[in-house]
Amino acid sequence: MKINKSNPTHWLQLVAYASQATLGFLLRPLSKKSAVVLYGHKLNGNLLPLYRACTDAVFLSMDRQYCRTLKAQGIRAQWACSIGAAALLARSRAIISDHGLHSLEVLLPSYQRAGLKCFDVWHGIPFKGFDTEDFRLQHTYDEVWVASPLHKKLYVERYGFPAEKVVITGYARTDVLVTAPASNAKLRRQLGLPADGPVILFAPTWAQDTRGRSLYPFSHSEQEFLSTLSTFAQEHRATVVIRTHLNSGNEQINEYPNIVRMPSSQWPDTESILQVSDILVCDWSSIAFDYLLLDRPTLFLDVPAPFRKGFSLGPEYRFGALICSLKTLIQELERAIEQPDEYWCSHAEKHRAVRSEIYSDWADGDATRRYLERLDSSTSV
């Protein structure tokens, strides 16, 4: 759940969550420690494969409606503002988060002294620049699980973590991209997409540190940019999927033929969308590094990065075509669809080099198993 600090209801929820966390701590001496708490904005990313693999895992959220939706799907979810959250925290042996902990953060040192283990599975390999202060909470965790040696180097040298606290496991969210258990046709049906024709995924990052930043590049309006994409999609029997970041909210977009909105807030399972996408169009979104594992054409909009603290991984890690105008975008999309060999002739070497550096040998479809091994070895008595 994203906290809106100007919303009084959210403040009341934070207080309610703090109350349940306090009660849960007081009940810990009376409880057998078995549960694994997963905490994040949504049950997606690295948390989702963990949930599927760990029968003791429960997703904890301050978003009551989202919890109800998950429960209706048969998913073990607990609203953080009810008495059930206190019972869950009382019997938890570990908490695994991919962002922060909201009200639980204040009580975390007490929980840790009482035996709770804390692990971080941050939700992306970033272009965005971070520093030690951005990971102040995670510095108190027992371990941070990262994607590769390069990722660990970032955490140690840029973000100030002790090397022994950063454990290379691979990213569980990428397992499905490597093993691809579901068929493309089945995923298209589940996502409500056409059964055939190319799928072009447009996934811009959010405004970040640049107030008023537009989703649409090169100073084009929504109408100019999306009308052009729509015309292209109709001519090539393609579908354009617009996936806005969770922090972009549910921004209203007009209807255009062959264009489908699938914002993160409503479609949290990014990996399913990536699997059915034939081409990715993005700017500085970390989604590019997930898509990298699918070995498909990627077009990077060459627009200013919206990061106040610079880069973690810089522009040299853009591994596909650089797009400097709407006209160039249409030309490169046509080339990727009609003449893919030409695309790969230009970009295969860079693609392979970046993939090797980003993931090394750790994107092998086995990261979830390594997560469970770290969890069990760290919480065993």
Side-chain angles (χ1 to χ4, degrees):
M1 174 175 168
K2 299 293 294 184
I3 298 298
N4 181 353
K5 294 182 180 179
S6 64
N7 187 335
T9 301
H10 285 192
W11 284 105
L12 291 173
Q13 287 178 296
L14 287 168
V15 171
Y17 179 18
S19 300
Q20 298 308 322
T22 302
L23 179 57
F25 174 73
L26 296 174
L27 293 174
R28 280 186 72 82
L30 307 176
S31 306
K32 181 180 178 180
K33 310 303 182 291
S34 59
V36 174
V37 176
L38 306 180
Y39 195 82
H41 294 311
K42 298 287 184 180
L43 182 57
N44 62 353
N46 290 314
L47 296 180
L48 182 57
L50 254 172
Y51 172 84
R52 290 169 172 164
C54 182
T55 57
D56 297 325
V58 180
F59 183 71
L60 180 66
S61 174
M62 290 176 58
D63 189 333
R64 188 175 193 178
Q65 185 55 50
Y66 184 56
C67 284
R68 287 173 172 169
T69 299
L70 292 178
K71 287 183 176 181
Q73 298 170 5
I75 292 173
R76 300 180 298 277
Q78 175 60 55
W79 186 38
C81 303
S82 72
I83 190 69
L88 173 63
L89 292 169
R91 60 185 175 86
S92 58
R93 60 185 170 108
I95 187 163
I96 302 171
S97 71
D98 68 0
H99 195 275
L101 296 176
H102 293 128
S103 300
L104 183 59
E105 181 177 341
V106 177
L107 287 165
L108 189 60
S110 297
Y111 268 92
Q112 289 177 298
R113 287 192 293 270
L116 182 72
K117 297 294 183 179
C118 302
F119 307 99
D120 177 69
V121 288
W122 191 260
H123 52 264
I125 300 171
F127 280 113
K128 181 180 180 179
F130 294 101
D131 59 24
T132 300
E133 180 59 26
D134 293 307
F135 293 95
R136 180 182 51 80
L137 171 62
Q138 288 77 10
H139 274 268
T140 68
Y141 282 22
D142 294 277
E143 290 181 354
V144 175
W145 299 339
V146 299
S148 68
L150 175 64
H151 208 196
K152 178 169 182 173
K153 184 178 180 181
L154 280 175
Y155 270 78
V156 174
E157 297 183 1
R158 299 277 191 91
Y159 312 151
F161 283 82
E164 63 274 12
K165 187 172 284 191
V166 184
V167 180
I168 303 171
T169 54
Y171 253 11
R173 66 189 293 162
T174 67
D175 285 351
V176 69
L177 301 178
V178 176
T179 58
S183 72
N184 190 294
K186 180 179 179 181
L187 287 175
R188 283 185 178 233
R189 288 196 300 272
Q190 291 174 346
L191 295 169
L193 296 174
D196 52 21
V199 174
I200 301 166
L201 176 60
F202 172 49
T205 193
W206 57 295
Q208 305 274 350
D209 306 313
T210 305
R211 182 175 297 179
R213 183 176 187 268
S214 174
L215 291 178
Y216 309 105
F218 317 126
S219 300
H220 287 291
S221 67
E222 173 200 306
Q223 196 276 332
E224 291 170 337
F225 187 75
L226 294 186
S227 291
T228 301
L229 282 184
S230 174
T231 298
F232 176 87
Q234 291 176 77
E235 291 172 351
H236 292 80
R237 299 183 62 250
T239 301
V240 176
V241 172
I242 301 179
R243 182 167 183 76
T244 50
H245 191 279
L246 182 64
N247 289 343
S248 297
N250 294 320
E251 184 166 326
Q252 294 300 312
I253 297 174
N254 293 323
E255 298 292 329
Y256 298 88
N258 293 54
I259 291 184
V260 178
R261 287 184 65 252
M262 300 186 77
S264 298
S265 56
Q266 298 177 28
W267 301 86
D269 186 1
T270 303
E271 283 65 44
S272 292
I273 297 174
L274 292 179
Q275 286 180 77
V276 303
S277 298
D278 299 289
I279 303 169
L280 172 64
V281 178
C282 64
D283 44 20
W284 298 103
S285 173
S286 63
I287 200 173
F289 293 124
D290 294 66
Y291 196 70
L292 174 61
L293 292 173
L294 291 170
D295 296 329
R296 297 173 190 169
T298 305
L299 312 184
F300 289 90
L301 302 171
D302 198 13
V303 296
F307 310 138
R308 178 172 55 88
K309 296 181 180 180
F311 294 97
S312 292
L313 297 175
E316 68 274 16
Y317 285 93
R318 293 180 294 182
F319 50 86
L322 297 184
I323 307 300
C324 59
S325 68
L326 182 53
K327 179 180 178 181
T328 306
L329 174 60
I330 296 303
Q331 291 172 343
E332 289 293 336
L333 283 172
E334 186 157 23
R335 181 165 75 140
I337 291 173
E338 301 292 343
Q339 299 169 307
D341 289 346
E342 285 193 11
Y343 171 88
W344 289 112
C345 184
S346 299
H347 304 292
E349 183 176 354
K350 180 70 173 289
H351 183 108
R352 286 193 297 266
V354 172
R355 173 171 173 153
S356 178
E357 190 172 359
I358 293 289
Y359 289 104
S360 187
D361 297 324
W362 291 87
D364 58 359
D366 221 14
T368 304
R369 178 187 61 80
R370 289 189 287 268
Y371 276 13
L372 294 179
E373 288 179 352
R374 294 303 306 173
L375 173 63
D376 290 339
S377 65
S378 300
T379 59
S380 60
V381 179

